Amino acid sequence: MKIQAAVARAAHQDFTIEELDIEQPRADEVLIEIHGVGLCHTDLIARDQFIPIPLPAVLGHEGAGVVLATGSHVTKVKAGDRVVMSFASCGECARCHEGLPSYCASFPALNYTGRRHDGSSGISVADVPISASFFGQSSFASHALTRERNVVKVDDPQLPLEILGPLGCGLQTGAGAVIRSLACPPSSSLCVLGGGPVGLAAVMGAAIAGCKSIILVEPIAARREMARSLGATHVIDPAAGPVGEAIRAITPSGVDFALETSGREEVVLAALGALGAHGLLGLVGVPPRPESAISVNLASLITFGHRIHGIIEGDSDLDGFIPELLDHFRAGRFPFDKLVKTYPLSQINEAIAAQLRGDCIKAVLVPDTRQQ
Ligand SMILES: [Zn+2]
Ligand SMILES: [Zn+2]
């Protein structure tokens, strides 16, 4: 079957819109007609080969759409079902059994290699296979092949399917980091560093969790304003002076929790410095280079009982957490639609530029076939 897709052909180059061939679903696969797909920083670092997926590749990992066809072994969904897509996991390892599939032992193989587990690809150009299966979906396209573990059914027909895809990555990462990974209790204090989609989802998660002090550190004024409207009690412009001092001015004994979303070493150190006794720092930001590292003073770490926790996908178990976030959205407690701006898939390069400039917080790409 012919599909339209945005193809990454070279690092640091624009995506190209191309017509490709997609296979019919195998026994354990599901074919999805994509209605919308979020644009995430992770797509760009894959294109730019920080994640070394072989190019050319169809990226995209925050898709939502309607099931078009299913393989003979699929029981979870059927044709016509509306679904949010998320990352792939094996379902058989210790972490998957614990309900922590984002720490699956096969996570890199299933999400980053550009191939199915048997080494094949479901997408080709003129009979030459190209990388697909990115996060088990490759959804920068009109259609995508995935597996039933990757999809979560959306039962409520009133929900705006087109913009739900980011729940499967950026939004569950931010909200889940606060609600699940850090498990911030009511009345605790939290500092979020970076007000992109993940950081702002964390602010909404903190409001849901009942945190008393929700501090956002972010250089862009419009994002600080947005954070206030989403429940941040304090916002800090890092250009205005030392961040550590600004945080201590709000919580003199330091914060109970910090969440770092930028990946930059100096920001991670500032977050660590903001912790109070037994404080917990969560790291979700992808570092700028594979060898990025920080130096931590061990005596200070032990003296104050500081803890550091690397976080993938907000410890989401997909089938439990995504419906939970949809309930919060319906109830007005998780208004992520305020962050979203839609673009036609064919304008993906303009959407990337707008997101990098800070003109838009979360771009969602809608296949051009859906716009006619
Ligand atoms: Zn697993
Ligand atoms: Zn993502």
Side-chain angles (χ1 to χ4, degrees):
M1 175 178 146
K2 298 286 182 198
I3 64 167
Q4 185 202 55
V7 180
R9 289 206 163 262
H12 306 286
Q13 300 298 310
D14 279 354
F15 286 83
T16 53
I17 302 298
E18 302 183 25
E19 189 180 80
L20 312 175
D21 291 293
I22 197 165
E23 292 178 1
Q24 284 303 303
R26 292 185 176 180
D28 62 347
E29 288 181 336
V30 181
L31 178 66
I32 311 281
E33 178 190 57
I34 301 294
H35 283 216
V37 50
L39 174 65
C40 179
H41 182 58
T42 305
D43 296 304
L44 303 183
I45 64 173
R47 178 197 66 182
D48 299 341
Q49 298 290 285
F50 182 94
I51 295 174
I53 184 170
L55 300 179
V58 179
L59 304 172
H61 64 285
E62 295 188 349
V66 172
V67 175
L68 214 53
T70 56
S72 55
H73 296 169
V74 173
T75 55
K76 186 176 175 182
V77 290
K78 59 181 188 315
D81 284 348
R82 291 150 49 92
V83 295
V84 168
M85 306 163 79
S86 192
F87 60 85
S89 59
C90 77
E92 286 156 14
C93 70
R95 293 294 92 78
C96 281
H97 280 305
E98 267 181 85
L100 291 170
S102 60
Y103 305 97
C104 172
S106 303
F107 196 92
L110 291 172
N111 290 282
Y112 300 144
T113 59
R115 290 288 185 268
R116 294 185 179 102
H117 46 291
D118 70 355
S120 66
S121 170
I123 295 183
S124 56
V125 188
D127 293 329
V128 178
I130 68 169
S131 288
S133 301
F134 185 57
F135 279 81
Q137 52 179 286
S138 288
S139 43
F140 282 165
S142 58
H143 298 79
L145 278 175
T146 189
R147 298 167 80 203
E148 61 185 343
R149 274 186 68 77
N150 298 53
V151 300
V152 176
K153 221 168 124 175
V154 178
D155 286 322
D156 183 349
Q158 303 297 322
L159 289 169
L161 187 61
E162 192 175 271
I163 64 164
L164 299 187
L167 288 169
C169 181
L171 297 171
Q172 74 182 359
T173 295
V178 172
I179 296 171
R180 295 194 154 205
S181 320
L182 302 179
C184 300
S187 299
S188 57
S189 56
L190 166 74
C191 178
V192 178
L193 296 104
V198 173
L200 292 172
V203 167
M204 290 186 269
I208 291 168
C211 294
K212 193 166 74 184
S213 300
I214 305 171
I215 305 164
L216 180 85
V217 181
E218 161 61 41
I220 300 174
R223 293 185 176 190
R224 294 197 300 272
E225 277 309 299
M226 177 65 80
R228 279 208 176 273
S229 79
L230 298 173
T233 56
H234 304 81
V235 292
I236 294 171
D237 177 359
V243 169
E245 284 177 25
I247 296 171
R248 296 276 170 178
I250 299 162
T251 53
S253 54
V255 288
D256 301 321
F257 300 93
L259 182 68
E260 204 299 307
T261 71
S262 78
R264 290 164 48 190
E265 290 106 321
E266 71 276 19
V267 185
V268 174
L269 286 171
L272 197 54
L275 291 180
H278 203 236
L280 175 57
L281 166 62
L283 303 179
V284 295
V286 180
R289 298 171 306 282
E291 65 278 12
S292 293
I294 56 165
S295 166
V296 176
N297 182 283
L298 295 178
S300 146
L301 199 68
I302 290 164
T303 303
F304 298 107
H306 289 160
R307 296 165 295 153
I308 304 176
H309 181 356
I311 296 169
I312 302 278
E313 299 283 352
D315 293 11
S316 174
D317 58 352
L318 308 192
D319 286 319
F321 195 51
I322 288 176
E324 197 178 308
L325 290 176
L326 286 171
D327 283 345
H328 288 309
F329 173 63
R330 246 191 312 252
R333 292 184 296 264
F334 193 66
F336 70 89
D337 53 328
K338 290 166 94 173
L339 313 182
V340 170
K341 188 170 172 196
T342 60
Y343 294 83
L345 180 62
S346 59
Q347 286 178 24
I348 182 171
N349 299 310
E350 290 81 353
I352 292 167
Q355 201 161 295
L356 292 177
R357 277 196 309 268
D359 291 354
C360 116
I361 295 172
K362 185 73 185 182
V364 168
L365 305 162
V366 177
D368 296 65
T369 44
R370 303 276 326 149
Q371 317 238 340
Q372 288 146 15

